[in-house]
Amino acid sequence: MTYPEFPDSENFTTIGDILNGAVDGKSISVRGWIYRTRSSGKLSFVVLRDSTGIIQSIVSSDSVSESSFTASKKALVESSVLVTGIPIKDERAPGGWELKASNFEVLHYADTFPITKDQSDEHLLNNRHLWLRSRDMVSCLKIRSTIFQAFRNYWISLGYSEVQSPSFTTSACEGGSTLFNVSYDDQNEKSGQKFYAHLSQSWQLYAEATMFGLEKIFTVAPSFRAEKSRTRRHLTEFWHAEVEAAWTHNHQMMELEEGMITTILNEVLSNNLSELEHLGRDVSLLQNVKGPFEKMKYSDVIDELNSLGFDLSWGDDFGYKEEKALTSSRTQPLFITHFPKEKGFYHRPDPADPKSLVCHDLLAPEGYGEIIGGGERIWSPEELDTRIREEGMEPSSYGWYMDLRKYGSVPHSGFGLGLDRLTSWICGAEHIKNVIPFPRTMRRTNP
Ligand code: ATP
Ligand code: MN
């Protein structure tokens, strides 16, 4: 197949610029794809899309060459095209503008596109490689990009360094039931020995080691968890934004997180209003999120849930049902503190009430639930030894981690934020799969 000569970039205008009125009345060219098309008699109405928006072009057999007109009638949805014309303001047109074409060129004629209106979620997931062109996906992914960047900028502005930790590891930190084991073949052929590793569930243990040098650190990386329960908020590979800081107590970390969440929301509100509107998001709910966030102790949360008809007692874990009940009628994020100590061996027990921990979760409102888990880490070697034994594990199997408490231990805190969950809440998504390009679950690794 031969393609027409590809013209220089500077000769093109984005559809977004047309919709902003930046090129009013001038002859311009756009390049993009056919979003929708119909023709009647001497007119073709071809809606074009690029990454910045959609606009309808009118191709009239009276104003373009015969080859342009034939191309505009023949080209199917998702054909790639170059269109020249004059943008005309027209309140009735979608977006308020129309492009009166003087030239219509098809770069590549698309086959019949396999996605049409009203298709099942399963069909859209099977065709994710094509569905990524949809305006829904593009809107979510633009918002997601702002969130990732705002997360980084916030911590960098506070003097934190970005660091990476391995994905292959042999130390579990979030419990064995969700570990993905991988066979990790020995490269040394003489020994013939096979090694096993698993995929990281969190960078935390590595973060604690790295922190002693850099003091204030963060990462953005995938974490892997074999999540058996199918919920609207679990992926098997998710994007984990984690922070660790020396000389920092739990309440100080919570304050920083509050600043992070409001900063990220402000960035999305100032960069992505049109995407939020496209998604039908109630923007006022996001605009009204303000610190300080409400804080409740775990035991008070149990009481509130029981008053809502649950039957929970000290030590019970909250699942999606509980968190949904707790947050559905809330419009502000909620911190839960003082979880029972069984929540994690590395969290510091509260000196004033050792059956609970100096830790926190942050729950997003509107029924979304947990987006952050964090807390102060145990920094005394004796206490860590005791806690690991209490959890039925052997301190010696945490060899290098125990080492960290031997050489100048300091108070430190950190947290893990699920970026896909945060994006889900901000977009108002029905399912976490809607906000990541290629979602991974227990049943899907393709495309
Ligand atoms: P949950 O109880 O909802 O499974 P968790 O307590 O296992 O969450 P943490 O271990 O505290 O979660 O992980 C920190 C954050 O990482 C969570 O608050 C959440 O935002 C995110 N996260 C954890 N597991 C997943 C997952 N399977 N998919 C997407 N995000 C996740
Ligand atoms: Mn989990």
Side-chain angles (χ1 to χ4, degrees):
M1 167 179 294
T2 54
Y3 291 98
E5 181 86 6
F6 191 69
D8 285 343
S9 291
E10 59 258 34
N11 299 330
F12 288 91
T13 303
T14 65
I15 293 173
D17 274 346
I18 301 177
L19 302 179
N20 291 335
V23 291
D24 198 358
K26 289 186 216 132
S27 174
I28 49 86
S29 298
V30 296
R31 54 183 173 186
W33 292 262
I34 297 182
Y35 180 72
R36 217 185 288 131
T37 182
R38 78 189 158 86
S39 58
S40 90
K42 297 166 78 177
L43 292 174
S44 311
F45 304 91
V46 185
V47 181
L48 310 171
R49 70 162 182 87
D50 67 8
S51 64
T52 63
I54 60 171
I55 189 167
Q56 175 163 283
S57 63
I58 314 258
V59 192
S60 158
S61 65
D62 293 340
S63 344
V64 299
S65 69
E66 201 184 323
S67 66
S68 275
F69 187 64
T70 313
S72 75
K73 281 184 91 155
K74 191 177 131 195
L76 302 177
V77 164
E78 286 308 320
S79 297
S80 46
V81 295
L82 310 173
V83 184
T84 301
I86 299 183
I88 303 202
K89 211 165 169 50
D90 181 346
E91 295 306 338
R92 293 161 308 169
W97 288 85
E98 236 162 33
L99 185 62
K100 200 160 170 11
S102 56
N103 191 51
F104 190 100
E105 199 175 330
V106 175
L107 199 58
H108 179 240
Y109 285 95
D111 286 354
T112 305
F113 201 60
I115 302 175
T116 51
K117 261 194 175 164
D118 300 326
Q119 281 189 298
S120 71
D121 289 344
E122 197 63 12
H123 182 78
L124 296 181
L125 283 165
N126 289 337
N127 287 284
R128 190 60 156 223
H129 54 298
L130 302 175
W131 182 239
L132 289 176
R133 304 170 181 212
S134 67
R135 299 189 76 213
D136 285 2
M137 277 309 318
V138 168
S139 299
C140 287
L141 294 182
K142 282 193 176 181
I143 293 167
R144 182 182 171 97
S145 168
T146 303
I147 291 171
F148 274 58
Q149 198 179 331
F151 172 86
R152 284 199 166 93
N153 290 346
Y154 176 78
W155 295 101
I156 286 170
S157 78
L158 295 173
Y160 283 63
S161 302
E162 180 163 8
V163 230
Q164 292 75 34
S165 66
S167 290
F168 286 126
T169 168
T170 45
S171 37
C173 94
E174 295 305 326
S177 68
T178 63
L179 281 180
F180 273 113
N181 294 310
V182 288
S183 100
Y184 195 83
D185 292 315
D186 185 9
Q187 297 304 304
N188 177 353
E189 285 173 9
K190 271 189 226 146
S191 83
Q193 220 185 331
K194 227 172 156 56
F195 286 104
Y196 292 90
H198 58 252
L199 297 175
S200 171
Q201 300 164 304
S202 163
W203 84 325
Q204 192 199 310
L205 307 186
Y206 293 96
E208 289 185 62
T210 315
M211 172 209 81
F212 281 91
L214 291 163
E215 296 189 34
K216 305 198 283 188
I217 54 176
F218 71 89
T219 199
V220 177
S223 279
F224 304 88
R225 299 188 188 183
E227 303 282 4
K228 270 105 204 164
S229 62
R230 278 192 240 137
T231 71
R232 61 183 270 205
R233 60 180 195 168
H234 283 100
L235 295 166
T236 48
E237 177 176 352
F238 68 94
W239 280 81
H240 213 168
E242 297 185 87
V243 171
E244 198 73 33
W247 318 106
T248 305
H249 291 294
N250 184 55
H251 67 276
Q252 295 167 315
M253 192 46 85
M254 287 165 68
E255 238 171 75
L256 292 170
E257 288 166 33
E258 212 169 78
M260 168 188 76
I261 294 292
T262 49
T263 302
I264 292 175
L265 283 173
N266 286 337
E267 282 300 305
V268 172
L269 288 166
S270 46
N271 290 295
N272 301 107
L273 263 190
S274 63
E275 285 80 23
L276 291 168
E277 272 157 21
H278 170 78
L279 294 170
R281 185 68 169 104
D282 182 344
V283 173
S284 70
L285 284 170
L286 301 177
Q287 283 164 335
N288 290 335
V289 172
K290 269 201 250 359
F293 299 159
E294 186 187 0
K295 295 175 187 68
M296 274 179 94
K297 287 189 173 179
Y298 167 89
S299 54
D300 296 328
V301 172
I302 292 273
D303 292 344
E304 179 172 329
L305 283 168
N306 285 344
S307 77
L308 293 171
F310 286 86
D311 181 22
L312 297 164
S313 42
W314 178 268
D316 289 341
D317 214 355
F318 304 141
Y320 180 54
K321 262 199 318 221
E322 289 80 9
E323 289 177 17
K324 187 172 178 204
L326 211 54
T327 61
S328 288
S329 57
R330 283 186 157 84
T331 55
Q332 297 290 331
L334 167 69
F335 274 120
I336 304 179
T337 62
H338 298 81
F339 280 91
K341 71 176 178 186
E342 291 69 30
K343 188 172 167 74
F345 74 86
Y346 47 76
H347 285 306
R348 183 174 177 222
D350 184 357
D353 174 21
K355 71 177 191 310
S356 68
L357 299 170
V358 188
C359 74
H360 63 272
D361 274 5
L362 181 66
L363 274 53
E366 303 174 62
Y368 281 88
E370 182 184 335
I371 53 172
I372 289 179
E376 195 160 322
R377 323 304 191 187
I378 294 177
W379 59 291
S380 131
E382 294 78 24
E383 199 167 22
L384 185 59
D385 194 283
T386 309
R387 282 294 296 125
I388 290 181
R389 286 179 203 284
E390 276 178 6
E391 293 297 312
M393 301 178 295
E394 249 310 301
S396 61
S397 61
Y398 283 92
W400 66 262
Y401 185 68
M402 303 302 290
D403 240 15
L404 303 179
R405 305 300 187 269
K406 279 201 228 160
Y407 309 104
S409 198
V410 293
H412 59 289
S413 298
F415 69 88
L417 159 69
L419 288 171
D420 320 276
R421 284 196 192 174
L422 176 62
T423 308
S424 218
W425 164 47
I426 292 178
C427 290
E430 268 173 37
H431 201 291
I432 195 167
K433 286 189 277 203
N434 299 358
V435 301
I436 182 166
F438 293 101
R440 295 292 178 250
T441 63
M442 288 310 267
R443 292 187 312 149
R444 184 173 289 281
T445 51
N446 182 57

